[in-house]
Amino acid sequence: MASLKKLLLKKSYLKIPLILTATKHFEIEAKLNGVKGNFILDTGASNTCVGFDKTDFFNLNTKESKIKAAGAGATNMETKISKKNTLEIGGWLKNKTKIVLFNLEHVNQALINHNAQPVDGIIGADILIKAKAIIDYKNNCVYLKKKKASSN
């Protein structure tokens, strides 16, 4: 039987390395609007998120949102929305990406408390589903399906 890597590369997937942190989270490097950042890969997060403090860093145009965020021990958090962003992970690219912004201080403080580096944001299930992601836990990588040139 062919290896997972060979099979997925043959099916036009890109192999993207993941870094396993001291907190057992996977971190991934991505470019948001052309700016590199470090993100947690979180299958349990419904949306891709960035901290309020990264609005200018990633050149995000935001709008107020009535949606309240919850997660990682915090609830009822204020959010903003940013639309029409470009997200690149490895060679995988998605235009018109929606980003949810909220206060990530509690997430980053928890990471710091466990001797891990703070992150700029979270890559959520919205992107993982669009990218037809397959996580290879044994080899610390994620495979993302290449998009056809005209499908963006």
Side-chain angles (χ1 to χ4, degrees):
M1 182 166 138
S3 73
L4 177 64
K5 177 182 174 181
K6 286 181 184 176
L7 176 66
L8 292 175
L9 294 177
K10 185 177 178 180
K11 298 260 183 198
S12 299
Y13 276 80
L14 298 166
K15 181 181 177 185
I16 314 294
L18 298 172
I19 299 166
L20 187 61
T21 69
T23 59
K24 304 293 186 221
H25 289 97
F26 277 130
E27 280 188 15
I28 189 167
E29 186 177 278
K31 285 185 183 178
L32 182 55
N33 297 326
V35 179
K36 281 186 187 178
N38 290 317
F39 295 79
I40 290 175
L41 187 77
D42 188 349
T43 60
S46 55
N47 293 293
T48 294
C49 307
V50 169
F52 284 137
D53 61 330
K54 299 297 179 176
T55 302
D56 293 335
F57 181 72
F58 288 119
N59 305 308
L60 300 170
N61 294 317
T62 64
K63 291 184 179 181
E64 296 297 322
S65 171
K66 293 180 182 179
I67 298 170
K68 302 289 185 190
T75 59
N76 210 29
M77 294 180 289
E78 299 293 323
T79 65
K80 291 185 179 182
I81 299 290
S82 179
K83 297 181 179 178
K84 298 182 182 176
N85 298 288
T86 300
L87 181 66
E88 183 179 352
I89 305 172
W92 185 86
L93 180 70
K94 174 75 173 98
N95 292 317
K96 299 180 184 175
T97 302
K98 179 183 83 172
I99 303 293
V100 175
L101 291 94
F102 70 101
N103 186 339
L104 282 178
E105 287 179 20
H106 65 287
V107 172
N108 281 324
Q109 190 58 56
L111 292 170
I112 291 166
N113 291 347
H114 289 90
N115 300 316
Q117 295 297 310
V119 295
D120 299 309
I122 298 164
I123 301 296
D126 57 339
I127 294 300
L128 298 174
I129 291 167
K130 285 177 184 159
K132 297 180 168 68
I134 298 172
I135 301 171
D136 182 347
Y137 289 92
K138 180 180 177 188
N139 295 303
N140 293 347
C141 64
V142 62
Y143 293 90
L144 305 178
K145 179 82 169 166
K146 285 184 198 175
K147 296 177 80 169
K148 294 181 176 128
S150 63
S151 66
N152 224 12

